[in-house]
Amino acid sequence: MASGGGGRRPGGADTPWWVTGIKVVAGIGAVALGAYAAARAAEEALREEEPMTSTQSAASCSDDKACKSDSSDSDNNADDDDQWVDINDDDEYSDSSDDVRQSSAGERPLVELLEEYYQDKVQAPDEEITAMKAVAEQVAQNITEYVRGRHANILQRDVFVAGSAYDGTTVKHPNMFVLLVPLNLEANMWKIVNAKDTVLKAPGYALVHRANTDFYRPGSSIWDRFLVGTYLNSDLIQRLLEDVLNKVTNRGFTFAYQDYYVTSSDKALTLELIHPIGGLVDHLTLQVVPCITLEGPNGTVCLEGIPHGCLSESAERRARKADTYERDPYENLWYQSTRTKEAEMLQDEDGGCRKKCLQILKAVCHNQPPLSSLSEFHVKTVCLHLCEEESEWEDVMMAERFLDVLKTLEQFLDDKKLPHVVHKEMDLFEGFASRQLGKMNTWLQKRLKQPNGVHALLI
């Protein structure tokens, strides 16, 4: 008989279907819970190991940042220290490549670097020196012939050539010479007056005074027309020589194939020849300077007519203050030349290295922007002072002497004063501002203190 309820499953208990579903879901949940617990346990284990690793990593990262920061600060400070503001405050001079150069240079002996620097950047080829001397001497001969042909009594002797090429101290290309024009002054009509003892107070300079006018009336000397007051005026003499130089060149007394320029300023009277000898140098500059030899209170004195633009700043300033002349009195000053004395001091008869040290220092100052404002005469004067103090100049001592000359230069820059080697009261640094000298001194001091800093100057 059929029943009206749900049917029974054969061979099993009477269990509803929904109870079975709950049991299945519960089993799945237990498995999932076990997996979740295992995952949590593994995660906890990992977390116990991570703090140390993370801390170490963070510390390492912090140190790295600190190192980078320190390195950056150090580099910035080094750049600030090494950065050179040029003496004209126009450009910055950076020494960023010095460390690299020092490391390579420092491995070699200084004397070896000096010899190599001398060969590569200082020594001029003998054939070039000979050729340029020949051109300069030819021009000097042309001027002599022209002047003697028209004014026989003007010259005391032939026009002659001077300069570093004749002293053996030229650097690389001998393209600058001085043509000295010796004027013939009547000895009994002229007297030398030391400008240091006058109102000008200019040591190293002299005035040429017209004397004995009671016996030799004005106008009896051919030089009387070049007087300002009672003194021979070097600027008026320069104008005469400029006229002579123009006539010499215009009349073909120089080489016809050469381009040339005659320029006159308050700095110099110059003749510049363009490509005087094909392939050797681009130009040759000849500075024309009148000179006078007279007997002075202390013997024979050689005077050179330095244009007033070449006077030291203080000498010109003092001269402008004087009001005892019709014109600016600095035009009457003549420089008391010491060429002969300087050449004697640089003689290397003992097989020494005086001239080599001078030539190398000239090249270094020329090639290093912070020192490029120093003239060749400044550098020469520094070396001459060391020649007075030091007697050992054998060639094997060149490294020691070169270091000495750099230290001597550093000392003069520190003192902000460079006395003339003969005219001790003349300061050759008068034209420089104190700040300018201080910057040069700071730069050189740093090079002398740095390991292999001197070596880096020669690379």
Side-chain angles (χ1 to χ4, degrees):
M1 191 168 165
S3 175
R8 293 177 181 269
R9 295 181 179 277
D14 224 359
T15 305
W17 64 268
W18 54 270
V19 173
T20 305
I22 290 174
K23 291 180 179 180
V24 171
V25 171
I28 293 172
V31 173
L33 183 62
Y36 175 73
R40 291 281 296 178
E43 185 178 353
E44 290 296 331
L46 288 174
R47 284 182 180 178
E48 290 178 359
E49 295 179 0
E50 278 185 354
M52 182 174 294
T53 306
S54 177
T55 302
Q56 290 173 347
S57 177
S60 175
C61 181
S62 176
D63 290 343
D64 182 59
K65 288 180 180 178
C67 290
K68 287 182 179 179
S69 176
D70 291 343
S71 175
S72 176
D73 292 342
S74 175
D75 289 344
N76 289 336
N77 292 336
D79 287 343
D80 289 340
D81 290 339
D82 285 345
Q83 208 167 41
W84 170 260
V85 179
D86 197 2
I87 53 177
N88 294 320
D89 291 334
D90 293 329
D91 301 312
E92 289 185 347
Y93 178 81
S94 174
D95 299 317
S96 57
S97 62
D98 274 4
D99 292 340
V100 176
R101 295 189 299 170
Q102 287 173 14
S103 62
S104 60
E107 299 172 359
R108 302 173 59 191
L110 178 58
V111 66
E112 181 181 327
L113 285 173
L114 286 169
E115 287 291 352
E116 183 177 297
Y117 190 86
Y118 179 81
Q119 295 292 332
D120 294 344
K121 298 185 179 181
V122 175
Q123 190 174 30
D126 291 338
E127 64 274 12
E128 188 173 318
I129 294 176
T130 302
M132 300 307 283
K133 279 184 177 180
V135 175
E137 290 166 2
Q138 181 63 55
V139 174
Q141 182 181 344
N142 293 340
I143 295 175
T144 299
E145 291 175 357
Y146 177 84
V147 173
R148 288 200 184 280
R150 287 154 182 78
H151 311 284
N153 297 324
I154 284 184
L155 297 180
Q156 185 182 52
R157 50 173 287 198
D158 290 351
V159 177
F160 61 101
V161 188
S164 58
Y166 286 84
D167 299 336
T169 60
T170 191
V171 175
K172 207 56 180 174
H173 299 296
N175 59 358
M176 174 72 76
F177 292 89
V178 177
L179 300 183
L180 290 166
V181 183
L183 307 180
N184 184 29
L185 269 65
E186 304 87 347
N188 50 359
M189 295 187 187
W190 303 93
K191 177 184 177 183
I192 293 179
V193 179
N194 195 330
K196 181 181 68 173
D197 302 327
T198 68
V199 66
L200 302 180
K201 304 297 182 184
Y205 295 95
L207 299 164
V208 181
H209 177 61
R210 178 67 159 87
N212 297 327
T213 53
D214 293 339
F215 298 97
Y216 304 99
R217 59 183 178 80
S220 57
S221 171
I222 60 174
W223 302 107
D224 283 345
R225 62 193 177 104
F226 302 102
L227 291 175
V228 172
T230 59
Y231 296 95
L232 189 64
N233 184 278
S234 60
D235 277 14
L236 293 179
I237 298 293
Q238 178 177 323
R239 294 179 192 176
L240 168 68
L241 294 180
E242 180 184 2
D243 182 63
V244 168
L245 201 55
N246 279 314
K247 289 179 178 178
V248 167
T249 54
N250 290 338
R251 297 194 182 193
F253 277 78
T254 55
F255 304 107
Y257 60 84
Q258 291 172 338
D259 293 328
Y260 60 86
Y261 301 94
V262 177
T263 59
S264 179
S265 67
D266 63 350
K267 294 291 185 183
L269 170 62
T270 60
L271 170 64
E272 185 167 356
L273 304 177
I274 308 302
H275 299 297
I277 299 203
L280 287 181
V281 293
D282 294 333
H283 68 279
L284 171 63
T285 301
L286 303 171
Q287 183 177 351
V288 182
V289 177
C291 63
I292 298 171
T293 302
L294 286 173
E295 290 298 323
N298 300 318
T300 303
V301 178
C302 182
L303 305 176
E304 294 183 8
I306 302 296
H308 67 264
C310 294
L311 297 178
S312 64
E313 182 178 302
S314 61
E316 182 172 341
R317 185 170 61 250
R318 285 193 297 266
R320 286 185 181 278
K321 289 181 180 178
D323 56 2
T324 57
Y325 300 92
E326 296 177 7
R327 299 172 55 169
D328 289 331
Y330 61 83
E331 295 182 0
N332 293 330
L333 291 176
W334 294 72
Y335 173 65
Q336 298 184 46
S337 176
T338 56
R339 289 181 187 273
T340 302
K341 176 67 174 177
E342 293 165 11
E344 291 174 355
M345 295 177 69
L346 287 171
Q347 286 300 319
D348 284 326
E349 296 177 354
D350 54 358
C353 57
R354 297 172 182 84
K355 293 180 181 179
K356 272 189 177 181
C357 283
L358 170 56
Q359 289 172 285
I360 293 173
L361 186 60
K362 278 184 183 181
V364 167
C365 290
H366 176 75
N367 294 326
Q368 297 294 332
L371 301 178
S372 60
S373 287
L374 297 175
S375 70
E376 289 194 3
F377 192 66
H378 289 131
V379 177
K380 185 178 184 180
T381 300
V382 171
C383 291
L384 290 173
H385 277 291
L386 185 62
C387 288
E388 282 189 322
E389 301 172 2
E390 185 58 61
S391 59
E392 296 183 4
W393 287 90
E394 291 78 10
D395 206 46
V396 295
M397 300 287 291
M398 185 165 66
E400 287 81 357
R401 293 293 81 85
F402 183 71
L403 288 174
D404 288 340
V405 78
L406 286 176
K407 293 174 182 176
T408 303
L409 173 58
E410 183 267 327
Q411 184 60 56
F412 284 127
L413 288 171
D414 188 55
D415 294 341
K416 294 182 172 57
K417 184 176 182 180
L418 177 60
H420 191 288
V421 72
V422 177
H423 309 301
K424 302 294 186 182
E425 297 179 26
M426 179 189 289
D427 180 14
L428 301 180
F429 279 166
E430 279 184 327
F432 288 96
S434 177
R435 180 170 174 265
Q436 193 175 6
L437 295 172
K439 285 185 175 182
M440 287 190 278
N441 183 43
T442 299
W443 185 88
L444 184 57
Q445 278 183 340
K446 184 172 183 179
R447 295 305 169 278
L448 292 175
K449 291 178 181 178
Q450 282 179 339
N452 302 318
V454 175
H455 293 64
L457 297 176
L458 304 173
I459 300 302

